[in-house]
Amino acid sequence: MSRAYRRKVDLSHPARSPLGSTVVNCVIYEDGTRQPDAGPVDEALRQVRKSGRGFVWLGLHEPSETEFAWIAELFELHPLAVEDTVLAHQRPKVERYDETLFAVFKTCHYVEHEELTATSEVVDTGELMIFTGPDFVVTIRHGGHGSLGPLRESLEAAPEQLAKGPAAVLHAIADQVVDDYLAVADAVQTDIDAAEAHVFSEHAGRGDAGRIYQLKRELLELKRAVAPLDRPLHALATKPLPPVGPDIQPYFRDVAGHLARVTEQIASFDALLDSILQAHLAQVTVAQNEDMRKITAWAAVIAVPTMVCGVYGMNFDHMPELRWTYGYFLVLGVIATACLLLHRSFRRNGWL
C-alpha cells in the first residue's frame, strides 16, 4: 500500500559520529554561520564564552547517567531537569531554570505496513529534550527516529534565522516535531479511510472490530504526544521566557496553530472511529438477526413433517388411513405441499 508519509533519513546517527557513542554532533554558530573545528565540547563552550559571540549546539543520543553527568556539570544544568533527561518517559513540557529553558517534546513516526491487522503497530513515539541557554543548545534524543540532522542542514541554509540564536533552534525543533505530527495524522487518516471502506464493503467480517480497536489504541498514542504540548507552546508564544525573545515568539504562535490543527484532526479521527465501530457492531447484529430468521424459518419448515410423522408414529392399533392403499402417498403429498407453501411464504417475507 503506497503512503504519502516517508521516513526521514537519519543523517546524524551516533554510529557515524567521530565524537563518541553518545555525542552526535557539536558545532559552534556565529551570526548564523557554522564555524569549523569546534573541537571537544568543553573547548567549544569555552571558545564561545570567551568571545561572547554565537552559541554551541550539542546533540546527544540516549546518554547514560554517567555520560550525561559531565555534560550537565559543564553546562550547569539543573539537577531536576538532568534527572528527567536520563530517566526519559516525560510528558511534553517547558520549564525554566534561571536562564536555562528545558523543553520536552514527544516525537512520532508512522510505521509502514502492507495491511492493517488487529496487532499492527501504527504509531511509534520517542522523546526529544532540549536545554536552551544564552549561549548553548543541548538536544537529547531518545528513540530510533526524530533525527535532527536534516533540520540542522536546513537551518544552516538559512543563516538569517539561525542568527537569532538558540531560540531559533528551539523553534525549528518544535516546528519539525509538529510537522511530523501532521504527517503521521495524514497517514493514519489513510488507514481510517481503508478501515471504513472495508466495513461497508461486501467482504466485511467480524475481524474488522479488532482492526478498528487497534487504530483507536494507536490514535491514543498519538494523542498522548500531541495534546500535552498545547500549554508549553502557548507559554513559548506568549510569556517572557529567556532566551525566547519577542522577535521569535510569533514563530511559536505559528507552530501552535499547526498543533491546534493536529489536535482537531485527532479528535475528529476518534469520533469517526467510534462511528465506524458502532456501524460495524450494528452490521454484525443485523447479520446475526438474519441468521436467526433463517434458522427459525427452516425450523418451521422441518416442523411440518416432524409433526405429521410424529402423529403416525404413535403405534395405535386403530388409526384412520393406516390400511388405505394411497395413504402413504397422500401424507407425503400433504407434507411436501405444506413445506413448499411455508418456504414460499418465508422467501416472500425475506426470511430465506
Side-chain angles (χ1 to χ4, degrees):
M1 184 182 297
S2 60
R3 303 286 183 185
Y5 180 88
R6 290 293 181 267
R7 185 173 184 176
K8 295 182 178 179
V9 179
D10 190 347
L11 301 179
S12 301
H13 195 277
R16 295 192 288 270
S17 173
L19 303 175
S21 60
T22 296
V23 178
V24 176
N25 214 333
C26 180
V27 179
I28 296 176
Y29 293 97
E30 289 186 9
D31 298 325
T33 304
R34 179 173 182 156
Q35 303 300 305
D37 301 327
V41 178
D42 53 347
E43 177 61 28
L45 183 62
R46 187 195 64 80
Q47 180 179 338
V48 166
R49 289 181 174 174
K50 181 179 179 180
S51 65
R53 299 178 56 191
F55 65 94
V56 178
W57 183 353
L58 172 65
L60 306 173
H61 181 260
E62 296 184 352
S64 66
E65 183 176 358
T66 303
E67 291 170 326
F68 193 66
W70 178 74
I71 299 294
E73 182 179 358
L74 178 64
F75 287 91
E76 300 177 352
L77 305 179
H78 197 279
L80 290 177
V82 172
E83 181 182 357
D84 290 345
T85 301
V86 174
L87 294 177
H89 304 295
Q90 303 295 316
R91 284 171 56 87
K93 61 182 178 179
V94 171
E95 295 179 346
R96 176 183 177 181
Y97 298 99
D98 297 327
E99 296 301 312
T100 301
L101 210 61
F102 175 58
V104 178
F105 299 137
K106 284 281 189 180
T107 59
C108 283
H109 167 71
Y110 178 78
V111 181
E112 296 281 354
H113 48 268
E114 291 297 327
E115 182 181 0
L116 181 68
T117 66
T119 58
S120 295
E121 184 181 10
V122 178
V123 179
D124 184 27
T125 60
E127 289 185 48
L128 192 57
M129 303 174 180
I130 307 100
F131 289 92
T132 312
D135 52 12
F136 67 86
V137 176
V138 179
T139 56
I140 305 96
R141 181 164 57 93
H142 291 269
H145 54 85
S147 169
L148 297 179
L151 174 66
R152 187 188 292 268
E153 291 187 351
S154 63
L155 274 175
E156 291 175 355
E160 68 284 351
Q161 183 70 8
L162 195 55
K164 295 178 181 179
V169 177
L170 179 61
H171 159 260
I173 294 173
D175 189 45
Q176 174 177 294
V177 167
V178 175
D179 284 347
D180 286 344
Y181 293 163
L182 287 167
V184 171
D186 290 341
V188 170
Q189 183 174 11
T190 303
D191 283 329
I192 295 176
D193 292 342
E196 182 180 22
H198 195 272
V199 164
F200 293 101
S201 69
E202 297 180 355
H203 307 290
R206 297 186 180 182
D208 289 333
R211 288 189 285 268
I212 298 170
Y213 184 71
Q214 180 66 11
L215 266 178
K216 285 184 67 67
R217 286 182 59 88
E218 295 298 309
L219 192 64
L220 178 62
E221 186 75 13
L222 179 60
K223 185 177 181 180
R224 287 173 178 169
V226 173
L229 190 56
D230 179 64
R231 293 183 64 183
L233 281 181
H234 179 74
L236 290 169
T238 58
K239 296 181 180 180
L241 296 172
V244 179
D247 58 331
I248 205 73
Q249 283 184 331
Y251 292 93
F252 283 106
R253 284 196 291 270
D254 179 68
V255 177
H258 294 169
L259 182 71
R261 174 189 164 189
V262 181
T263 304
E264 292 173 359
Q265 275 188 298
I266 293 174
S268 64
F269 289 165
D270 194 41
L272 179 59
L273 284 173
D274 285 337
S275 300
I276 295 173
L277 183 59
Q278 292 298 323
H280 172 68
L281 295 177
Q283 287 181 326
V284 171
T285 302
V286 170
Q288 289 176 340
N289 289 338
E290 290 179 352
D291 292 341
M292 288 303 299
R293 288 195 302 180
K294 290 180 180 179
I295 293 172
T296 303
W298 282 114
V301 172
I302 295 173
V304 173
T306 302
M307 180 186 65
V308 175
C309 294
V311 169
Y312 280 91
M314 290 187 291
N315 296 323
F316 288 107
D317 291 334
H318 302 287
M319 292 184 67
E321 293 88 28
L322 283 180
R323 303 298 178 181
W324 188 33
T325 303
Y326 303 103
Y328 172 73
F329 301 101
L330 176 63
V331 169
L332 289 181
V334 170
I335 291 175
T337 302
C339 289
L340 288 174
L341 290 175
L342 284 174
H343 185 271
R344 182 180 179 183
S345 176
F346 286 134
R347 286 291 299 271
R348 186 187 300 116
N349 291 317
W351 283 49
L352 289 176

